[in-house]
Amino acid sequence: MEFAELIKTPRADNVVLHRPFHLAVEGTLCLTGHHLIFSSRRQDNAEELWLLHSNIDSIDKRFVGSLGTIVIKCKDLRIIQLDIPGMEECLNIASSIEALSTLDSVTLMYPFFYRPMFEVLEDGWSSFLLEQEFELLSSVTNEWRLSCVNKEFSVCPSYPPVVIVPKSVDDDALRKVALFRHGGRFPVLSYYHKKNGMAMLRSSQPLTGTNGRRCKEDEKLVNATLRSGRRGFVIDTRPLTVAQQARAKGGGFEQEVHYPQWRRIHKYIERFNILQESFIKLVEACNDQSHNMDRWLSKLEASNWLTHIKELLTAACLAAQCIDREGASVLVHGSEGTDSTLQVTSLAQIILDPRCRTIRGFEALIVREWLQAGHPFQQRCAQSAYSNSKQKWEAPVFLLFLECVWQIHRQFPCSFEFNEQFLIMLFEHAYASQFGTFLGNNENERAKLKLPQKTMSLWSWVNRPEELSRFQNPLYEANSLVIWPSVAPQSLQLWEGVFLRWNRPSRFLEEAEEERINIIKYNKELQARVNALRRRLAELEAEDEDEEVQEEEEEEEP
Amino acid sequence: MEHIRMPKVENVRLLDRLSSRRAVVGTLYLTATHVIFVENGSETRKETWVLHSQISSIEKQATTATGCPLLIRCKNFQVIQLVIPQERDCHDVYISLIRLARPVKYEELYCFSFNPKLDKEEREQGWKLVDLNEEYHRMGVPNNYWQISDVNRDYGVCDSYPTEVYVPKSATAHIIVGSSKFRSRRRFPALSYYCKGNNASICRSSQPLSGFSARCLEDEQMLQAIRKANPGSDFIYVVDTRPKLNAMANRAAGKGYENEDNYSNIKFQFIGIENIHVMRNSLQKMLEVCELKSPSMSDFLWGLENSGWLKHIKAIMDAGIFIAKAVAEEGVSVLVHCSDGWDRTAQVCSVASLLLDPYYRTMKGFMVLIEKDWVSFGHKFNHRYGNLDGDPKEISPVIDQFIECVWQLMEQFPCAFEFNERFLIHIQHHIYSCQFGNFLCNSQKERRELKIKERTYSLWAHLWKNRADYLNPLFRPDHSQSQGTLHPQIAPCNFLYKFWSGMYNRFEKGLHPRQSVTDYLMAVKEETQQLEEELEVLQERLANLQKSQSGNNKVKSKQQDRSKQFGLYTSNNSLANTPQEYSNDLKSFPSRSPSQGDEDSALILTQDNLKSSDPDLSANSDQESGVEDLSCRSPSGGGCLPSEDSGKDSDEAVFLAG
């Protein structure tokens, strides 16, 4: 297919762009295969706006006489308005944008066409391999092994080719366990707590069905992670009733008779359309133009978004508490084990593991616990809060996770190497990107699409020193401890950086951030200068003393 | 002391509101000024001090098997839950506290016994720190349009006004006195703020006694005079900060509002801020939400909305924004009033001044602002904050709301204020503490009669002495946010107004960010300053050395290595960071209890350069609950507890020792 076929009017002049907190600008609008480009040529205020078509969530058009107006709502929650003179032009442009923003073939997406303008210093596709992770693990324990049982994606289509499992369980057993777990997602290692040797596993629900089927290998696998005489916790992200109902459909949960050393805790985490609706309501509330305080608070409350945040954080804290405080191993799962499960395991690691609070470590966490673990990004992030499509697989699962990280970040502002912008950047790229990282729903699909060969990795770009400097938290001081966030409502706030980003005045906040950076920067510069001077002085004084000693010796001689 | 039935009770349990598991056992002491709880525990012996004047209510609850619970709620939003083993002891403590918390004469208040060990001269200097004469001069009055009037020199015209008031030059004593007779409590229009740049001014008064049709020539002349004092404008705004309905109801009682037809060239405007009773109930409702044991997100947000608190805060802000805009952008003078002109009027005038003039956003300027719009113009501190036993219906968080408005502005303009959140919190604390004389009584007249300045100390001097603790690291006098008028967004930015947990959940440390960006940056800046000094010394030494070497001259300057002083990043101030109760499910689990591991969880804040004496971050944060809170925060002065302590030591030390 040629993109040109979809672009009936590639260019329109005298278009006026409206954005909140900006003056209206007149300029030229151009459409290309992947971008909407608006450029104003005004001498005093030349600027260009590039918008990926894939970032467009919805588009509305209306006419007043022959002046057409297009309102574009983006997946990053921005809303812009374009006034386009000429009814035909406007209609053409609107229908082109609509077609280009809803291409159904992945291979037509921008990442397959994007050619980076920067030199690739490190290929992000191979920056975070599980093998490296395993090497680190092997230096502290030999209870685990790397299994290639899923090499051809035949045992579990949504797992990566290699996984970490208890050493005592062989591949044959894993194949049997896979048959006993929803979608073949057998329990694998998610996190090993070096401090006390406890492990966090994740999987999908066991397929016990109504007649209480059991699987000896499954029991053996999870028990292999327990110390003798100790118990473990199963954190089921569904309420008990839902877990019970799942049995009728062949699913189920670990029954105490067969897992006597495990104690099950049901911590309900909302999913799918409930989350999506909540997301839509919250964004609606944030864009509400009414002047009434009561209405804002009641809409915020009615969206339930912060309730989901609180529940998710609580579950993650609980998992972390079981591991660090109870000294118990933990198995986390819901139904499929691709959404709420990953939210809990990744957040628990943020709490427990200082490494996950570094930039590199956080990237590794996202690769390991989201991309390789098979979170279906393409389905979940197909649309954002403005779309009318309402597909049941769309859900802001990853955004909810990022917001929880932000909430912890807000409570421990000096314990993270990255800043808020880093989290916002990840949110944007999960929904629309020039990079191939978040395309596909699992490693299997990514391999079939040959993404590593055909597209650029987000990490290749982010980890360049020029880019990294934008994402560094100036206040960061490595903190090796477990950080326990508060989950009280008073401690949780709306993530303004995402939800009010486009409709709050941000200049003063940006100035504050600049000031923070300057304070630290100046301090570091001084530190360096003082150290250099000290060294220089020490050298000179040493020379001085040498001479002195010589002289003293000379004096003593006679 | 005669009111203390029970000076000491042992084996009292202090409950943690957030976690029932964290109760501590200790001894409760009642002194003439404080309630003190000393934890048993051999090493730390954490102490919780509460001033009697901070107590807003005491509740004795039904006796349980473990003892008799006593709930003490404080005006600085601390809530203390004690369980006293014996019902009789509890009753005695209860009866004693009821009396101690409600003194009947000023002399019983703490400021009359508080002695920070300053000599007479220091005390007098302290009171001179904030000088309103100087302030009016700074504003630019007296000048061609404004003059100081002595009509009220013996409080003869208005007993709740200061002796010195600025009025338009064309307003004769006859006009002022005439106008005052036509205003509630004779609070005639007087200058609150004068804008040097364009001659526009903010004046304040009480409501006119207009009833349904009454007029007063002098009052009309007074408003005319205010307009004439601003030659650039042909009208003035008259802002009635009450809801229209309230103002109309007042007419039936012979009060009311200005009729535009009777006054030439005024534009009349209602701005609906609710009265003190609505505000009191609103705060009450919000505090109930804060006190919920483990509220869901919906409970909290619903409760917050239902309290209406943020709506009221926004109404006050909107009024201030309106006036600041009139003065700065339109160059029009504004007369502000409510009913008596000492609550809403004070709030709105001070918010507008703060928006207009960067000086009020400095530490000193903010003290001046409170002194000007609140203290001197007869805001009834004693009645509103219940310092002496009085009518509970007079109590209302009027200045609390103003302080919150400032905080909301600080959130929106992080670089615009010289002071930080702690400064606001400590001012709020001391408005209720009665430790300093500034906020005693209901008017200047009463304060003079009590000889406050001779008998008590000034809070402003105390805060000024510790100003290093109250600095906003992001403030720079040359920053664009520190210049000119602030323009907060008005609509549709309701979301800009946020719940202030730093104030209303002030004592629930677990709810706040565990690392303070402000403290961190202040420490960095402090270090930067030391580095600058060291750099200078080093450069000098280097120059000398090079000179001496070249001249083959030996100067042995073995200066001490300053680097040792930079312990900033290595001090191990720790903060116990433990999990909350994330689930009830863990309780029944037969393995060890999660609280056992608390010790090893001490979170070492690596950036804890932070002042070693800062109770916010020290492990025994409870100590901070009383006054020490404030005294502990000596600026960089490592660990000493200055001033106040000496004051309370005198007689209470005996109790503690015994």
Side-chain angles (χ1 to χ4, degrees):
Chain A
M1 188 198 71
E2 286 293 324
F3 292 116
E5 290 169 20
L6 296 174
I7 307 173
K8 284 170 233 154
T9 302
R11 175 194 162 114
D13 289 316
N14 306 320
V15 174
V16 179
L17 168 71
H18 301 270
R19 288 163 298 180
F21 299 104
H22 285 84
L23 293 174
V25 212
E26 194 183 292
T28 302
L29 180 72
C30 292
L31 294 187
T32 72
H34 292 105
H35 285 97
L36 177 158
I37 305 158
F38 176 89
S39 56
S40 100
R41 282 169 298 177
R42 275 181 43 201
Q43 295 276 305
D44 53 329
N45 191 18
E47 64 165 300
E48 272 188 9
L49 172 78
W50 287 64
L51 204 62
L52 263 178
H53 291 316
S54 55
N55 187 8
I56 295 171
D57 207 27
S58 88
I59 166 165
D60 296 320
K61 50 185 184 291
R62 58 170 187 264
F63 292 93
V64 180
S66 68
L67 181 75
T69 291
I70 300 180
V71 175
I72 294 174
K73 299 182 176 177
C74 302
K75 290 176 188 167
D76 61 14
L77 308 181
R78 154 172 40 178
I79 299 179
I80 62 169
Q81 182 190 322
L82 294 166
D83 296 341
I84 302 169
M87 189 179 285
E88 201 191 328
E89 282 85 352
C90 184
L91 278 173
N92 283 345
I93 286 168
S95 67
S96 300
I97 294 174
E98 217 159 338
L100 290 165
S101 61
T102 52
L103 297 174
D104 48 7
S105 167
V106 184
T107 52
L108 291 176
M109 302 293 272
Y110 187 49
F112 286 93
F113 298 83
Y114 170 70
R115 291 293 162 262
M117 301 292 282
F118 58 85
E119 189 195 349
V120 177
L121 302 170
E122 176 194 350
D123 182 7
W125 287 111
S126 49
S127 289
F128 306 101
L129 300 175
L130 201 64
E131 285 83 351
Q132 297 162 351
E133 205 63 36
F134 182 70
E135 230 168 82
L136 283 176
L137 181 66
S138 316
S139 64
V140 285
T141 168
N142 58 2
E143 292 164 355
W144 302 86
R145 71 183 182 91
L146 213 52
S147 165
C148 297
V149 68
N150 198 38
K151 202 165 54 202
E152 311 292 335
F153 303 105
S154 52
V155 176
C156 171
S158 63
Y159 266 2
V162 283
V163 288
I164 301 173
V165 292
K167 202 170 206 169
S168 57
V169 180
D170 62 25
D171 282 358
D172 281 338
L174 291 178
R175 285 189 194 94
K176 284 183 192 151
V177 178
L179 295 174
F180 181 66
R181 292 274 174 180
H182 190 123
R185 294 175 68 90
F186 53 89
V188 295
L189 180 72
S190 162
Y191 171 66
Y192 180 84
H193 198 45
K194 270 184 261 175
K195 190 166 129 194
N196 59 10
M198 292 302 132
M200 180 160 59
L201 306 174
R202 56 174 157 76
S203 69
S204 59
Q205 62 178 342
L207 302 174
T208 57
T210 38
N211 51 7
R213 219 171 66 132
R214 64 187 286 196
C215 170
K216 285 267 165 59
E217 287 80 5
D218 190 79
E219 292 157 24
K220 195 182 157 222
L221 194 166
V222 295
N223 287 339
T225 65
L226 297 177
R227 293 279 150 80
S228 62
R230 303 300 290 270
R231 295 208 195 188
F233 288 94
V234 175
I235 295 181
D236 192 325
T237 64
R238 304 164 293 178
L240 180 62
T241 48
V242 173
Q244 280 165 341
Q245 283 158 12
R247 288 190 298 195
K249 293 184 203 151
F253 52 84
E254 292 79 2
Q255 276 159 319
E256 262 139 57
V257 245
H258 301 141
Y259 299 86
Q261 288 168 278
W262 293 79
R263 199 188 131 80
R264 217 174 52 244
I265 300 174
H266 291 272
K267 267 285 171 196
Y268 185 38
I269 294 170
E270 205 54 83
R271 54 200 83 207
F272 299 122
N273 57 325
I274 307 276
L275 285 187
Q276 185 71 9
E277 271 165 35
S278 166
F279 181 36
I280 290 169
K281 276 190 195 160
L282 174 67
V283 171
E284 240 174 55
C286 292
N287 289 329
D288 186 1
Q289 301 289 310
S290 87
H291 296 196
N292 181 326
M293 178 64 72
D294 289 350
R295 186 151 156 199
W296 156 246
L297 285 173
S298 66
K299 283 187 127 184
L300 178 64
E301 192 265 315
S303 79
N304 267 327
W305 182 262
L306 286 170
T307 299
H308 303 319
I309 295 287
K310 180 168 154 60
E311 278 165 3
L312 177 51
L313 267 177
T314 308
C317 289
L318 180 69
Q321 195 178 0
C322 290
I323 292 170
D324 188 66
R325 293 313 177 88
E326 298 291 323
S329 283
V330 170
L331 167 65
V332 185
H333 70 71
S335 308
E336 288 92 348
T338 54
D339 294 281
S340 54
T341 304
L342 306 182
Q343 288 175 324
V344 172
T345 57
S346 51
L347 284 171
Q349 291 178 58
I350 298 275
I351 294 165
L352 293 169
D353 187 0
R355 199 164 57 105
C356 293
R357 297 173 223 141
T358 64
I359 291 182
R360 201 72 194 184
F362 190 67
E363 291 171 355
L365 180 78
I366 290 190
V367 172
R368 201 170 66 235
E369 290 296 293
W370 290 87
L371 292 161
Q372 294 174 349
H375 173 67
F377 275 99
Q378 197 167 309
Q379 289 183 348
R380 298 288 179 265
C381 302
Q383 299 287 327
S384 174
Y386 299 122
S387 155
N388 302 318
S389 76
K390 302 244 162 79
Q391 298 288 356
K392 71 173 187 342
W393 57 73
E394 289 160 8
V397 177
F398 186 60
L399 173 60
L400 204 64
F401 156 73
L402 291 176
E403 174 161 347
C404 286
V405 177
W406 176 81
Q407 299 282 0
I408 304 174
H409 195 299
R410 211 187 65 81
Q411 295 186 29
F412 294 88
C414 306
S415 298
F416 289 81
E417 194 191 3
F418 49 87
N419 60 14
E420 180 183 8
Q421 292 311 312
F422 188 65
L423 298 172
I424 296 174
M425 180 273 295
L426 288 171
F427 157 64
E428 288 177 336
H429 282 277
Y431 280 84
S433 176
Q434 66 269 46
F435 304 107
T437 299
F438 292 107
L439 291 182
N441 290 308
N442 50 51
E443 292 295 272
N444 189 4
E445 287 186 23
R446 283 181 202 109
K448 280 185 190 149
L449 287 167
K450 294 199 169 56
L451 290 179
Q453 293 81 38
K454 293 189 168 168
T455 72
M456 179 63 56
S457 161
L458 172 66
W459 316 123
S460 306
W461 171 71
V462 170
N463 287 330
R464 291 156 42 80
E466 301 93 304
E467 304 302 332
L468 269 186
S469 64
R470 289 194 293 133
F471 299 124
Q472 270 155 353
N473 173 11
L475 309 176
Y476 176 61
E477 296 266 336
N479 172 0
S480 61
L481 296 161
V482 176
I483 53 176
W484 300 106
S486 160
V487 297
Q490 291 97 318
S491 310
L492 303 178
Q493 286 193 356
L494 176 70
W495 191 8
E496 296 181 19
V498 163
F499 294 104
L500 303 176
R501 180 177 174 193
W502 309 103
N503 39 14
R504 69 168 175 183
S506 54
R507 200 185 98 212
F508 305 117
L509 304 178
E510 281 161 17
E511 283 173 356
E513 180 62 18
E514 235 167 76
E515 196 60 35
R516 280 190 276 273
I517 292 171
N518 287 339
I519 290 171
I520 308 266
K521 214 162 106 189
Y522 180 54
N523 177 275
K524 290 202 170 133
E525 277 169 24
L526 271 185
Q527 192 90 62
R529 281 172 63 193
V530 165
N531 285 340
L533 267 186
R534 276 199 207 133
R535 268 196 306 274
R536 176 95 184 90
L537 262 175
E539 282 166 21
L540 284 176
E541 276 173 347
E543 282 172 31
D544 218 26
E545 268 169 38
D546 283 348
E547 284 173 32
E548 220 169 280
V549 170
Q550 278 173 11
E551 273 175 37
E552 277 170 18
E553 280 168 1
E554 281 163 20
E555 278 168 24
E556 275 169 25
E557 260 173 61
Chain B
M1 300 301 265
E2 71 271 24
H3 308 302
I4 302 171
R5 291 181 167 210
M6 192 77 201
K8 176 180 170 186
V9 189
E10 284 176 339
N11 293 319
V12 173
R13 283 189 304 139
L14 176 69
L15 303 185
D16 186 318
R17 253 185 51 213
L18 290 180
S19 164
S20 50
R21 284 197 298 254
R22 290 185 208 141
V24 287
V25 180
T27 306
L28 186 74
Y29 299 90
L30 298 190
T31 76
T33 51
H34 290 84
V35 184
I36 306 161
F37 178 85
V38 183
E39 210 175 289
N40 284 350
S42 49
E43 281 165 41
T44 50
R45 287 182 64 86
K46 271 195 249 172
E47 294 174 12
T48 305
W49 290 62
V50 176
L51 261 171
H52 296 325
S53 50
Q54 285 289 2
I55 297 175
S56 77
S57 77
I58 310 147
E59 205 179 296
K60 209 175 114 206
Q61 295 166 325
T63 310
T64 65
T66 52
C68 189
L70 194 67
L71 187 68
I72 304 174
R73 289 197 181 82
C74 300
K75 296 166 180 173
N76 59 4
F77 312 115
Q78 183 170 26
V79 179
I80 292 174
Q81 271 181 293
L82 298 169
V83 179
I84 297 174
Q86 297 296 321
E87 209 277 340
R88 220 192 52 224
D89 293 345
C90 183
H91 184 73
D92 283 346
V93 169
Y94 174 75
I95 295 293
S96 309
L97 283 180
I98 288 271
R99 175 62 187 82
L100 291 166
R102 288 173 198 163
V104 291
K105 33 181 219 296
Y106 285 119
E107 282 74 10
E108 288 178 45
L109 294 173
Y110 186 37
C111 57
F112 290 101
S113 58
F114 170 67
N115 177 7
K117 301 240 166 88
L118 297 175
D119 59 33
K120 187 161 166 280
E121 200 177 318
E122 285 170 306
R123 181 204 318 244
E124 281 167 8
Q125 279 309 114
W127 280 110
K128 280 180 191 150
L129 183 71
V130 170
D131 179 349
L132 285 186
N133 258 331
E134 225 170 74
E135 167 57 11
Y136 284 107
H137 282 290
R138 189 197 65 86
M139 270 186 219
V141 290
N143 60 12
N144 286 337
Y145 306 110
W146 294 90
Q147 65 182 11
I148 197 161
S149 162
D150 62 351
V151 287
N152 201 39
R153 66 180 166 272
D154 303 316
Y155 305 105
V157 176
C158 173
D159 62 2
S160 61
Y161 262 20
T163 47
E164 295 181 341
V165 269
Y166 282 84
V167 291
K169 243 185 178 161
S170 57
T172 60
H174 172 73
I175 292 178
I176 298 170
V177 173
S179 167
S180 80
K181 287 179 181 155
F182 190 63
R183 295 271 166 184
S184 274
R185 319 246 177 205
R186 314 188 91 199
R187 292 169 66 91
F188 56 89
L191 183 73
S192 164
Y193 180 72
Y194 171 75
C195 183
K196 228 187 297 187
N198 60 8
N199 294 320
S201 63
I202 303 174
C203 293
R204 57 184 292 172
S205 70
S206 59
Q207 63 186 338
L209 304 176
S210 52
F212 289 100
S213 59
R215 294 182 63 164
C216 168
L217 181 64
E218 290 86 354
D219 193 60
E220 288 160 26
Q221 287 171 333
M222 185 75 191
L223 267 62
Q224 190 81 285
I226 293 173
R227 184 182 64 75
K228 281 191 204 142
N230 179 8
S233 167
D234 48 16
F235 72 95
I236 65 168
Y237 283 111
V238 175
V239 172
D240 189 328
T241 56
R242 297 168 293 181
K244 189 171 181 184
L245 216 60
N246 300 17
M248 283 167 68
N250 260 302
R251 291 203 296 193
K255 300 165 187 173
Y257 53 92
E258 291 81 356
N259 182 343
E260 277 190 357
D261 299 336
N262 298 342
Y263 293 82
S264 53
N265 306 316
I266 67 163
K267 283 194 184 171
F268 185 84
Q269 180 91 30
F270 282 114
I271 295 186
I273 301 173
E274 299 291 347
N275 65 26
I276 58 167
H277 311 294
V278 174
M279 300 307 191
R280 179 178 58 245
N281 293 334
S282 173
L283 177 66
Q284 187 52 41
K285 280 188 190 162
M286 185 174 73
L287 292 179
E288 278 163 22
V289 176
C290 297
E291 259 189 65
L292 290 176
K293 200 151 168 124
S294 46
S296 71
M297 204 72 218
S298 291
D299 293 340
F300 178 73
L301 288 174
W302 191 85
L304 186 60
E305 185 208 328
N306 192 43
S307 76
W309 182 257
L310 288 175
K311 184 174 69 186
H312 300 315
I313 295 293
K314 185 167 185 291
I316 297 164
M317 282 294 303
D318 285 347
I321 293 168
F322 174 85
I323 293 165
K325 206 169 156 236
V327 168
E329 289 173 26
E330 299 177 52
V332 176
S333 295
V334 185
L335 170 67
V336 186
H337 69 72
C338 45
S339 298
D340 291 320
W342 51 39
D343 294 316
R344 285 168 277 201
T345 299
Q347 289 176 329
V348 167
C349 286
S350 47
V351 167
S353 300
L354 194 76
L355 291 172
L356 284 166
D357 195 331
Y359 176 65
Y360 298 126
R361 305 194 289 262
T362 65
M363 210 177 284
K364 182 84 176 293
F366 191 69
M367 299 173 182
V368 168
L369 182 65
I370 291 184
E371 200 66 37
K372 170 172 78 81
D373 281 337
W374 296 82
V375 178
S376 84
F377 272 106
H379 175 63
K380 300 199 294 173
F381 283 93
N382 176 39
H383 286 164
R384 293 295 173 260
Y385 313 116
N387 298 341
L388 293 187
D389 194 21
D391 181 1
K393 287 212 166 64
E394 281 280 324
I395 293 176
S396 186
V398 181
I399 201 166
D400 302 62
Q401 288 184 314
F402 165 64
I403 291 173
E404 175 164 342
C405 285
V406 181
W407 178 79
Q408 299 281 1
L409 281 171
M410 279 162 63
E411 287 285 291
Q412 294 176 38
F413 300 93
C415 307
F417 292 82
E418 189 191 19
F419 46 86
N420 58 29
E421 179 184 16
R422 191 181 297 154
F423 185 62
L424 297 179
I425 292 174
H426 286 190
I427 290 176
Q428 192 273 352
H429 179 98
H430 282 301
I431 281 164
Y432 291 92
S433 76
C434 301
Q435 185 175 343
F436 298 92
N438 304 59
F439 309 120
L440 243 46
C441 307
N442 292 319
S443 66
Q444 191 186 68
K445 181 167 178 257
E446 287 182 36
R447 275 188 296 276
R448 290 209 178 152
E449 283 163 3
L450 257 184
K451 299 198 186 331
I452 291 296
K453 290 193 180 176
E454 287 100 272
R455 299 167 72 192
T456 72
Y457 295 85
S458 168
L459 169 66
W460 305 132
H462 171 74
L463 294 176
W464 188 249
K465 195 178 78 201
N466 297 324
R467 62 187 172 279
D469 279 358
Y470 302 121
L471 285 172
N472 169 16
L474 301 178
F475 176 78
R476 250 183 23 216
D478 59 334
H479 198 279
S480 65
Q481 283 182 43
S482 332
Q483 317 287 322
T485 308
L486 288 185
H487 300 282
Q489 285 296 322
I490 319 169
C493 294
N494 292 304
F495 46 70
L496 291 176
Y497 294 88
K498 288 178 273 192
F499 171 72
W500 188 7
S501 70
M503 177 64 94
Y504 304 106
N505 283 115
R506 181 181 159 197
F507 290 89
E508 267 82 54
K509 292 294 170 211
L511 299 183
H512 304 157
R514 308 310 292 266
Q515 298 175 316
S516 157
V517 174
T518 298
D519 288 343
Y520 178 81
L521 288 176
M522 279 319 295
V524 169
K525 282 186 103 165
E526 204 176 294
E527 193 202 42
T528 298
Q529 206 187 337
Q530 290 174 356
L531 282 170
E532 276 171 341
E533 285 164 18
E534 195 192 357
L535 194 68
E536 218 170 282
V537 173
L538 287 175
Q539 277 166 339
E540 203 179 306
R541 275 174 62 190
L542 191 68
N544 284 340
L545 206 58
Q546 281 166 336
K547 205 168 33 178
S548 70
Q549 281 195 341
S550 61
N552 208 7
N553 207 349
K554 283 158 208 118
V555 182
K556 288 186 200 170
S557 58
K558 294 270 176 344
Q559 293 196 21
Q560 58 155 336
D561 189 358
R562 289 180 56 96
S563 66
K564 285 189 187 116
Q565 292 174 18
F566 298 118
L568 290 186
Y569 296 103
T570 50
S571 94
N572 59 348
N573 240 328
S574 58
L575 158 76
N577 175 25
T578 53
Q580 297 187 335
E581 283 172 19
Y582 298 118
S583 168
N584 295 324
D585 299 314
L586 287 181
K587 281 186 184 159
S588 50
F589 193 62
S591 92
R592 67 190 191 119
S593 93
S595 56
Q596 279 180 319
D598 276 1
E599 300 79 21
D600 60 350
S601 75
L603 169 66
I604 292 160
L605 286 175
T606 37
Q607 79 290 8
D608 259 353
N609 41 16
L610 311 174
K611 304 132 199 166
S612 53
S613 60
D614 192 333
D616 269 342
L617 291 136
S618 68
N620 44 354
S621 60
D622 274 344
Q623 228 180 21
E624 157 239 30
S625 18
V627 262
E628 266 93 27
D629 170 6
L630 305 147
S631 57
C632 283
R633 285 193 180 106
S634 74
S636 42
C640 59
L641 298 174
S643 52
E644 290 93 319
D645 277 297
S646 38
K648 64 166 196 277
D649 277 348
S650 47
D651 58 339
E652 280 116 42
V654 186
F655 279 107
L656 289 173

